Amino acid sequence: MQYNNSASYGHFDDETREYVITRPDTPYPWINYLGCEDFYGLFSNTSGGYCFYRDARMLRLTRYRYNNVPADAGGRYFYLRDHAEDEISGYARQDVWSPSWMPIKSKLDRYECRHGLGYSCISSARNGLAFSQLSFVPLKDNCEIHKITLTNETKVEKNIDIFSFVEFCLWNANDDMTNFQRNYSIGEVEVEGSAIYHKTEYRERRNHYAVWSVNVPISGFDTDRETFLGLYNGFDHPQTVFAGAANNFIASGWAPIGSHHIEVPLKPGESKTFVFVLGYCENSEDQKWESLHVINKAPAKALLEKYNSAEAVDTALAELKEYWDKLLSRFSMQTDDKTLVRMVNVWNQYQCMVTFNMSRSASYFESGIGRGMGFRDSNQDLLGFVHLVPERARMRILDIAATQMSDGSAYHQYQPLTKRGNNDIGSGFNDDPLWLICGVAAYIKETGDYSILDEQVPFDNDQALSDSLFVHLKRSFDYTLNNLGPHGLPLIGRADWNDCLNLNCFSKTPGESFQTTANYESGIAESVLIAGIFAFTGPDYAEICRRTSRKEEAERAEKAIAAMIETINTHGWDGNWFLRAYDAMGKKIGSHECEDGQIFIESNGFAVMADIGINDGRAIRALDSVKEKLETAYGIVLQQPAYKEYHLELGEISSYPPGYKENAGIFCHNNPWITIAETRVGRGERAFETYKRICPAYREDDSKLRRVEPYAYAQMVAGKDAPRFGEAKNSWLTGTAAWAFVSITQYILGIRPVFDGLLIDPCIPPGIKSFSITRYFRGAVYKITVDNTAGVEKGIASISMDGKVLDNKILPPMEEGSIHEVMVVMGSSKN
Ligand code: BGC
Ligand code: NOJ
C-alpha cells in the first residue's frame, strides 16, 4: 500500500461544507450521495458506485457488485493514457492510470476527493497531468454529470487519451445478478455520434433507456465489456486502454457497457474540459421509436443539449449549491465548539435528507434490492427532515399511511416505485403503527398544517378502503390497545423496533427468515418498549384530537395512556431499570433475574422520554443503570450481558456473535433516546456526553478503527464484547441521523416545535456559556441567542422576543416573512 504513512484520511472544510479526503485508500470506501429527488447516485471517493432512477432495485442504470474483490469495484471510471515517443531511443512509451486511483491504483502525485452537498470532486495528478472530476446530479434532470478537466502542468506537449467506462445494469438489479441464462442474451445498445444508448428490454415492455455521452466528438467507442476489458482482465487492466484504440464494437447480449475514447493533445499549461452525461430517459408508448428498432432519442438529445458545455454545468452546480444554502439556512447554530456546529449545521441535516430519500434501501451496506422503504424507518426519518422540506414530508406521510392495513397494522416495508407493501415481509411488527402518529405529530408541530388529517388515504393501497388520515391515526392508536397481552402490555408480534427480538419465531431451520417466521404464535409475548412508545407518542394523538374538536376521543386516549403508564409501573419495572419484554413463556427479558440480556437500552430510553419515573426518582435510577452497565467509550451498547448462546425463544438477537448488531452492539439509533431521556431529568452534561460519543465528527481521529465515514452516522459500532470493539458498520442509512438531530436540536439546544409554536427548553452542559440559533419556523425566522453565563444545565430565567418579555417558553408563530430577535437567559427557572 502506498499511502500508509499518512496519519489521517482527511478533514472537514467548514467554509465550503465539504469533507476533504486526502488519500484514496480510506479504511472503507467513503461515499457521498448524488441526487435530491428522483435520480440518485452513490459515489465513493475513488469514483466507485452506481446510479438509479427512483428505485435501486427496479430501475438501476449501472451495475455494481457488492461484496466484491477488491472492494468497491465498478463505478464511473475514466482511464487516462499518456503516450509519447522516447526522445532518446525513439521508442513509444505509455503510461495508463486511473485518476480516481481505483481501479488501476497507480501512484498519484496528488489526490483529493471533496464530498460536498450533493456533489463530489476528485482531483489528482500524475507525471504533470492534472485531472479533476466534478460529479453531481442536477436539480431538475434525471442524470449524473461528470465534468472532467485535464491540465498539462509540464513544459512539454502531452498526448493524452481518455477512455470513459460505465457498465450498464439490465435495470432490475436482482435479476441482473442472478438470471444469467437470459441476461447474457438480451443486452442491446445503439451508438449515434458521441452518445451510447443502453436499450436492453426497450423493444418489449420498457419505455426507458439510458444514455452515456460526452460533449465532444470521439475517436471511438466500446459497448461490450469483454471486448473492452478482455475476458480474463479486471477493471484494472482494460486491454483496449493499453492498446490505445477503441474497438467500435456494438454489443449484442453479454454485458453492455459504455466507453468513449477521446484523444486530447495538450500544450504546456493547457487545460481541456469535457462534460459526460449519464441519463435516464422515458418515452410514451406511441413515441418509442424513431424508425424500425431505432429508439426515439429526442428526450436524450434535449438532455444532452442542455448540458453541452462547462458553463451550463457550472450553472447547474451553482443552482444545486443555492438549493442547499437555502435548505440549511432553515436551521443553523453558532457556538465555540466547531465540531458541534459542523455536525448540526451541515452533516447531520445532510444525512437526514439522505435517510429520508433512501430509507434503508441503498448504501454500501444495503444492496438496494432487499429493503425498499421501511414503515417505522420512514416515519422516524421524517423527524430529522420535516423542517427542511415539509411538503415532501407531507407526501411521504400519505404514501406510508396508504400501506397501513384497516386494522391499524402495517406493511413493514414498501417499494418506492410501486408504493405497494412488500408481501414477502408482510406485517405484524407491532410497533409500526405508532410511528405513524409520531411522524404525523412531528409534521403538524412543524407546520401547523392540520389539513393533512383530512386527506383521504387508502388502507392497503385499496382506494375502496380510503378514510381520512385522522382515522389512520386512530387505528394506529387502537392497534396497540387491541393487542395487549396478559400483563396488559402491548403484544410484540413479530418484533418491535428491535427487529431481532423475535419472540414468536422459534426458528431451527438454517436460512429461515427471523423476520417472517412465526412458528410459535404464543399470543402472549409482550413489549415494554411498545408500551413506552405508546406513552411517549400517545399524548400527541390525544392533543391532536383535542385540537381538532374531538374532545371525547382525546379523553379516551388520555385514559388509555394513563392506564398504560400504570401497567409499565406495575409490570415493566425491574427495581433499578425498566424491563424489556416478556417472552412466549411469560418469562422476563431485560431483568436482573436473567442470565444474559439483563438490561436493555430501548425500553429505558423510551420510558424516560415519556417522563415515566421522573417524579419518584426511578427515571434517574434507570439512566444511572444504563450508564453503569451499558455505556462504553464509543457509545451505549444495546444490552448486557451479551447473549453467549443461540436462544430459540429470542430469535435473531442471539444469533449474532456477542458485541455485534442487536446482540450488545452499540446500536446508534437508540443512543439519542438516552440523550433525550437525560434532558428529561435535567442532566445536560450527561446528555451532551452521550450525544458526542456516537457523533461521527467527534470520532474523526478514530477513523482507522472506526473505518466508515467521519461525516455520517453509522447504524452500528461493535460493542465491548466484540473483538473489533469500536469498529463501525452500516454507515448512512440509519434512524440515528434523525434521532441524533432531534436530540441535539430539540432537547439539548432545546428549540422544539410544539403544537403552539417553538418551545425553548435547552438542557446543556454548564460549560456551554452561549449559543445562537437561526430557525425558520412556519414562515417566520427566529434569531435566538441563548445566554448561559449562569452556567446551569437547565432552566430559563427569562425569554424576550423583539425586546418584549414573554410569559411562557413558547415562541408563537409569527407573520410570514417576518424576522424576530429572541433573547433567552438561562438560570433558575421563574416558571
Ligand atoms: C438486522 C436488523 C434489521 C433486520 C431486517 C437484521 O438482520 O440485524 O437490524 O432490521 O435484519 O432487515
Ligand atoms: C434496522 C431496521 O431498519 C430498523 O427498522 C430496526 O428498528 C433496527 N434495525 C433495529 O433492529
Side-chain angles (χ1 to χ4, degrees):
M1 293 272 278
Q2 308 152 13
Y3 293 91
N4 265 351
N5 296 331
S6 120
S8 93
Y9 296 90
H11 54 87
F12 288 91
D13 182 338
D14 294 325
E15 204 53 40
T16 58
R17 300 198 288 218
E18 293 165 334
Y19 192 84
V20 189
I21 301 168
T22 49
R23 47 189 279 190
D25 61 335
T26 45
Y28 208 71
W30 284 3
I31 72 162
N32 194 10
Y33 281 84
L34 316 179
C36 298
E37 291 206 25
D38 289 330
F39 191 97
Y40 297 106
L42 277 67
F43 188 88
S44 77
N45 59 307
T46 56
S47 202
Y50 62 97
C51 57
F52 59 93
Y53 175 67
R54 285 204 171 157
D55 187 318
R57 172 175 176 153
M58 308 301 286
L59 289 175
R60 194 179 294 207
L61 273 81
T62 55
R63 188 170 281 161
Y64 189 75
R65 293 170 182 76
Y66 281 86
N67 200 5
N68 200 12
V69 181
D72 199 23
R76 315 75 174 159
Y77 289 145
F78 298 93
Y79 297 97
L80 298 183
R81 174 172 175 267
D82 185 346
H83 62 102
E85 249 174 40
D86 191 282
E87 279 145 39
I88 300 164
S89 67
Y91 283 123
R93 58 179 167 76
Q94 70 167 345
D95 182 26
V96 172
W97 76 100
S98 296
S100 59
W101 194 59
M102 281 290 277
I104 297 186
K105 293 196 291 184
S106 311
K107 172 137 180 45
L108 298 172
D109 303 329
R110 280 201 310 267
Y111 161 89
E112 184 181 271
C113 170
R114 289 178 169 260
H115 284 320
L117 306 179
Y119 67 91
S120 290
C121 189
I122 295 177
S123 47
S124 69
R126 181 173 162 93
N127 291 339
L129 196 272
F131 165 91
S132 88
Q133 170 183 351
L134 166 70
S135 300
F136 68 102
V137 172
L139 281 178
K140 294 272 174 291
D141 289 302
N142 296 321
C143 66
E144 272 186 8
I145 292 178
H146 304 277
K147 185 179 90 168
I148 304 297
T149 303
L150 301 185
T151 307
N152 181 356
E153 294 181 334
T154 70
K155 297 204 157 58
V156 291
E157 181 159 347
K158 275 184 180 283
N159 287 302
I160 306 294
D161 295 287
I162 306 181
F163 289 85
S164 73
F165 176 84
V166 299
E167 183 179 10
F168 294 111
C169 176
L170 309 187
W171 301 113
N172 178 330
N174 193 41
D175 191 72
D176 183 70
M177 53 186 236
T178 45
N179 190 8
F180 305 109
Q181 60 80 25
R182 168 177 160 87
N183 292 343
Y184 283 170
S185 294
I186 63 172
E188 289 191 295
V189 297
E190 272 181 42
V191 178
E192 189 184 284
S194 301
I196 298 167
Y197 295 88
H198 174 231
K199 59 169 186 176
T200 301
E201 290 193 343
Y202 187 80
R203 50 159 62 240
E204 30 121 343
R205 290 158 298 173
R206 294 188 183 274
N207 66 347
H208 48 261
Y209 57 79
V211 60
W212 174 227
S213 190
V214 57
N215 68 337
V216 294
I218 54 176
S219 307
F221 61 84
D222 271 282
T223 60
D224 176 68
R225 190 184 70 212
E226 250 175 54
T227 314
F228 180 75
L229 293 178
L231 178 59
Y232 291 104
N233 292 353
F235 295 130
D236 61 341
H237 202 88
Q239 65 185 19
T240 302
V241 181
F242 283 87
N247 307 289
N248 298 339
F249 188 83
I250 297 287
S252 172
W254 297 107
I257 60 151
S259 171
H260 308 95
H261 174 207
I262 309 169
E263 292 170 284
V264 193
L266 284 171
K267 297 198 190 71
E270 193 181 10
S271 272
K272 282 188 182 148
T273 296
F274 308 89
V275 179
F276 290 84
V277 174
L278 176 59
Y280 169 90
C281 302
E282 273 176 12
N283 279 320
S284 58
E285 219 25 63
D286 55 338
Q287 305 273 308
K288 276 178 79 168
W289 304 102
E290 193 175 295
S291 57
L292 186 68
H293 295 165
V294 179
I295 60 176
N296 173 3
K297 304 185 180 64
K301 285 183 176 160
L303 178 71
L304 299 176
E305 182 59 33
K306 185 163 172 191
Y307 298 109
N308 70 355
S309 69
E311 294 71 38
V313 169
D314 293 344
T315 308
L317 180 70
E319 281 165 13
L320 180 67
K321 288 190 174 176
E322 204 185 303
Y323 166 83
W324 272 105
D325 281 349
K326 252 188 153 156
L327 282 186
L328 295 183
S329 70
R330 296 169 79 100
F331 190 110
S332 71
M333 74 168 302
Q334 286 311 320
T335 192
D336 297 338
D337 182 344
K338 272 208 190 97
T339 311
L340 178 61
V341 173
R342 68 170 66 114
M343 265 331 280
V344 170
N345 288 3
V346 184
W347 298 97
N348 196 170
Q349 297 194 62
Y350 184 55
Q351 189 176 356
C352 285
M353 167 71 97
V354 172
T355 53
F356 175 84
N357 285 332
M358 301 286 139
S359 185
R360 305 295 170 270
S361 66
S363 73
Y364 266 29
F365 299 89
E366 295 279 7
S367 67
I369 289 174
R371 298 283 315 267
M373 312 293 281
F375 189 98
R376 74 157 82 90
D377 298 325
S378 294
N379 274 305
Q380 291 171 81
D381 294 339
L382 283 173
L383 307 178
F385 172 82
V386 62
H387 70 291
L388 289 175
V389 195
E391 305 74 27
R392 289 189 68 202
R394 190 182 205 275
M395 292 191 288
R396 178 63 48 80
I397 286 171
L398 300 177
D399 284 350
I400 301 172
T403 65
Q404 186 176 32
M405 318 277 184
S406 46
D407 70 349
S409 65
Y411 271 109
H412 194 49
Q413 290 156 13
Y414 71 95
Q415 232 24 66
L417 195 66
T418 60
K419 299 190 177 166
R420 296 277 158 156
N422 287 344
N423 277 318
D424 37 0
I425 179 104
S427 88
F429 294 80
N430 282 356
D431 62 318
D432 273 336
L434 290 175
W435 296 112
L436 182 66
I437 300 181
C438 192
V440 172
Y443 171 79
I444 296 178
K445 289 176 188 175
E446 180 66 35
T447 58
D449 170 21
Y450 288 87
S451 76
I452 192 173
L453 298 169
D454 303 326
E455 292 286 348
Q456 293 296 304
V457 185
F459 283 101
D460 194 8
N461 272 297
D462 182 348
Q463 292 297 341
L465 298 178
S466 289
D467 215 323
S468 68
L469 182 66
F470 176 79
V471 170
H472 283 256
L473 299 191
K474 182 170 186 306
R475 302 266 170 96
S476 285
F477 188 81
D478 283 344
Y479 184 80
T480 303
L481 296 178
N482 292 338
N483 290 278
L484 299 178
H487 299 93
L489 291 162
L491 291 171
I492 198 165
R494 290 193 191 288
D496 61 23
W497 172 89
N498 189 334
D499 277 335
C500 298
L501 208 50
N502 315 115
L503 304 184
N504 296 306
C505 175
F506 289 73
S507 174
K508 281 188 177 160
T509 311
E512 196 166 61
S513 162
F514 288 105
Q515 312 296 311
T516 54
T517 305
N519 290 334
Y520 195 96
E521 294 279 8
S522 69
I524 68 166
E526 297 167 291
S527 163
V528 178
L529 173 62
I530 301 183
I533 300 173
F534 187 82
F536 174 78
T537 204
D540 282 338
Y541 171 69
E543 197 56 35
I544 286 172
C545 294
R546 221 169 258 297
R547 285 161 189 267
T548 52
S549 314
R550 295 171 169 106
K551 185 161 165 270
E552 267 170 42
E553 177 63 1
E555 281 164 6
R556 181 187 76 100
E558 278 154 3
K559 265 197 210 125
I561 296 160
M564 186 68 79
I565 293 175
E566 206 33 57
T567 308
I568 295 176
N569 288 336
T570 325
H571 298 293
W573 177 250
D574 191 56
N576 282 306
W577 55 80
F578 291 93
L579 274 179
R580 179 62 178 82
Y582 288 92
D583 71 14
M585 275 73 65
K587 271 179 40 200
K588 291 175 183 170
I589 298 176
S591 160
H592 69 283
E593 295 164 18
C594 306
E595 190 189 328
D596 290 327
Q598 293 178 350
I599 169 169
F600 280 66
I601 186 172
E602 310 103 303
S603 45
N604 286 291
F606 254 91
V608 181
M609 281 163 73
D611 290 347
I612 300 175
I614 299 237
N615 294 334
D616 57 19
R618 282 179 307 140
I620 295 240
R621 235 147 90 211
L623 292 176
D624 286 346
S625 301
V626 165
K627 176 171 189 313
E628 185 197 320
K629 300 196 177 281
L630 302 181
E631 189 164 71
T632 78
Y634 306 116
I636 304 165
V637 299
L638 195 143
Q639 100 276 12
Q640 279 290 292
Y643 293 109
K644 295 186 274 294
E645 312 295 340
Y646 176 55
H647 289 251
L648 198 58
E649 78 287 6
L650 300 178
E652 185 166 358
I653 189 168
S654 61
S655 75
Y656 285 112
Y660 292 118
K661 294 280 292 182
E662 284 85 344
N663 190 14
I666 298 156
F667 212 94
C668 300
H669 185 131
N670 41 39
N671 275 238
W673 298 347
I674 296 299
T675 304
I676 296 171
E678 287 288 359
T679 69
R680 301 309 296 163
V681 300
R683 300 200 294 199
E685 187 79 58
R686 274 293 298 151
F688 195 50
E689 185 55 42
T690 56
Y691 166 80
K692 284 198 292 193
R693 278 183 201 216
I694 59 154
C695 182
Y698 286 101
R699 305 247 70 108
E700 194 186 7
D701 292 344
D702 303 335
S703 284
K704 210 173 188 128
L705 167 69
R706 211 182 129 81
R707 297 189 68 194
V708 301
E709 301 88 340
Y711 45 89
Y713 281 96
Q715 182 207 52
M716 191 229 17
V717 178
K720 58 188 175 186
D721 302 290
R724 307 180 75 138
F725 179 35
E727 182 186 73
K729 288 195 186 106
N730 309 348
S731 54
W732 286 101
L733 300 189
T734 162
T736 316
W739 278 109
F741 190 69
V742 168
S743 76
I744 185 70
T745 60
Q746 300 190 19
Y747 289 90
I748 294 179
L749 302 172
I751 312 296
R752 183 154 75 248
V754 291
F755 291 105
D756 284 327
L758 213 43
L759 173 71
I760 310 288
D761 186 24
C763 182
I764 57 177
I768 297 187
K769 296 291 184 230
S770 74
F771 63 90
S772 59
I773 284 178
T774 304
R775 176 64 152 99
Y776 173 97
F777 181 72
R778 300 192 199 171
V781 174
Y782 301 80
K783 295 184 169 238
I784 305 164
T785 306
V786 178
D787 173 346
N788 187 28
T789 324
V792 298
E793 287 185 293
K794 198 170 174 137
I796 286 178
S798 69
I799 303 184
S800 57
M801 184 158 88
D802 302 326
K804 277 210 302 241
V805 176
L806 299 188
D807 54 10
N808 68 28
K809 297 199 285 189
I810 297 176
L811 308 179
M814 302 299 285
E815 202 182 313
E816 181 88 34
S818 59
I819 301 178
H820 305 277
E821 299 286 337
V822 179
M823 186 67 216
V824 179
V825 180
M826 291 182 70
S828 52
S829 181
K830 296 216 174 106
N831 48 21

